[in-house]
Amino acid sequence: MTSSPTPSSPILSKSRAACALLACAGGLFGLQTSVHAHGGEADPLPAEPGVRVGVAGALRVLDAPRELPSQRLPGFLLQGDAGMDARGAQLEHGVLDAGWRLHGQWGAYAALGKHGSDPAHIEAAWLQWQPGADWRLTAGRQRPALGAVVTPAGHLDRFALVPLAKQASFGHDWIDDGVQLGWRRAIGRADLTLDAGLWRGRVWPGGAGTPVALSLHGGVTAGDFTFDAFAAHFEPTGRGTRAALAGGGHSHAAPVCDEALKDMVCFAGRSQVLGASARWLSHDLPLSASAAMLWHRDRGPLRSRNGLGDYGGDTLGGWVEGVWAIQPQWELGARLERLQSRQRLQGAGVSLIAAELGLNAYRPANRAALMLGWLPREGIALRLEVGTEAAGGWRSRFAALRAVFRIDDVAAALRGASRAP
């Protein structure tokens, strides 16, 4: 998906946009909503043969004195594009999805997504075969399994911004074309999960020429605790990064290198992402907590018009998050994040390459956010968030008002609303 940055000046005033958010949430009060974990570990297909159509979205008004440091994340080796300006009133994310279970073993799923002023794009389009209760084979466009904490982070979750560690490792969500084999089984009091996938690997941190990308995931849930770990391996031969001053719109696809290398630095080598996460969801207390750590490792040559260098990068980041359900309809949450990198570049003209990539602007990045949420009914939430973040040597404060809704089955919700007095 390629698009232009979202304009920084909103069409609506902040007060009008806030009223629009409230009106949107209010219009959903009459719908009986049921929710599945979109983009997470739950199966989005209907339990019985038939079709289910759902919709989910987040409308956001975000105020900050200037673009957020995380928009470009200077000093880290990423795609080098301008990023998406989060400020103003916009559609943070919208998803229209449909699941079709043909019979017990076969099913299909598709999801259409939209961000801000970006054009709509296909987030998922896959077929699934379940030969038994424990196994499932899924082929098509999908999200590789990364665990109950990492997979949904930044995707219609409690906080408005994608975690810095996930942004540095995958650019945004990792959505790819491929095949994934999954195994689920309850053993004693524990639920075990294993997944293995083969992927096209053209999205970050892969790129052009990637023969095939591999992913492995394992998870266990026991009582109040869930633990996950994953590994992903890419071998791009032509993964591009735009030069710091080249500009260009936002893109979820890694830029493609060409022989001219105009305003481009090209990486070829091996790229791995390792991750681990844990979640505590108390059944006795109105509390939950989670933590995740991601390690992105690059090894290989970087070349541009100005030289050739041997690059080694190790980017380590993570976040901790806690939520307190003050009352059934109110919640208070906090998220703390940290991202840092060690980068080595040796060879002819490496100082010019580093300048092209803006690596000299590197400083550790961090973010802290506090969230207050009102959940008038299942599937609908209004959230107020305030926070601060820093990267590349500068810091910015931000505040956001969000309306988030999820309707798992639109037809069932409309039937429930028609029966309501």
Side-chain angles (χ1 to χ4, degrees), residues 37 46 63 90 111 133 160 169 179 248 266 372 381:
D63 183 50
Q90 59 183 275
S169 297
V179 178
C266 189
L372 176 65

Side-chain angles (χ1 to χ4, degrees), residues 313-335:
D314 292 274
T315 299
L316 184 67
W319 68 92
V320 294
E321 178 183 321
V323 178
W324 172 31
I326 307 170
Q327 294 180 355
Q329 292 185 334
W330 291 91
E331 64 180 11
L332 183 66
R335 178 184 283 177

Side-chain angles (χ1 to χ4, degrees), residues 18 21 61-63 158-160 330-334 369-375 381-387 398-404:
L21 293 181
V61 179
L62 188 144
D63 183 50
R158 288 186 171 96
F159 292 87
W330 291 91
E331 64 180 11
L332 183 66
L370 184 66
M371 177 273 301
L372 176 65
W374 176 49
L375 293 72
L382 285 175
R383 292 190 171 98
L384 176 64
E385 181 179 345
V386 294
F398 65 89
L401 177 64
R402 305 167 66 227
V404 184

Side-chain angles (χ1 to χ4, degrees), residues 14 33 54 162 196 209 212 225 232 240 336 360 384 410:
K14 295 183 179 66
T33 59
V162 177
V212 66
F225 294 92
L336 300 176
N360 296 331
L384 176 64
V410 173

Side-chain angles (χ1 to χ4, degrees), residues 247-305:
H250 172 63
S251 173
H252 282 265
V256 178
C257 296
D258 57 25
E259 292 300 322
L261 289 176
K262 178 177 173 57
D263 297 325
M264 187 78 66
V265 179
C266 189
F267 172 83
R270 296 184 176 183
S271 184
Q272 292 103 18
V273 180
L274 305 177
S277 61
R279 182 180 67 183
W280 173 62
L281 183 60
S282 176
H283 290 81
D284 301 318
L285 300 172
L287 299 172
S288 65
S290 61
M293 185 70 70
L294 278 69
W295 175 28
H296 178 197
R297 182 177 184 270
D298 280 330
R299 295 291 186 275
L302 279 175
R303 61 187 176 92
S304 77
R305 285 182 169 183

Side-chain angles (χ1 to χ4, degrees), residues 78-79 144-146 150 162-175 203-206 215 230-234 251-253 272-275 294-296:
L78 294 171
Q79 295 178 175
L146 305 177
V150 178
V162 177
L164 296 171
K166 192 172 182 179
Q167 180 182 348
S169 297
F170 296 113
H172 198 277
D173 277 332
W174 182 12
I175 299 175
V203 293
W204 190 271
S215 70
F230 73 87
H233 179 84
F234 305 80
S251 173
H252 282 265
Q272 292 103 18
V273 180
L274 305 177
L294 278 69
W295 175 28
H296 178 197

Side-chain angles (χ1 to χ4, degrees), residues 199-250:
W199 310 99
R200 188 165 179 253
R202 299 298 176 89
V203 293
W204 190 271
T210 301
V212 66
L214 309 175
S215 70
L216 294 172
H217 163 258
V220 57
T221 297
D224 295 345
F225 294 92
T226 298
F227 301 95
D228 292 280
F230 73 87
H233 179 84
F234 305 80
E235 294 187 8
T237 59
R239 186 186 79 191
T241 296
R242 295 183 182 89
L245 300 179
H250 172 63

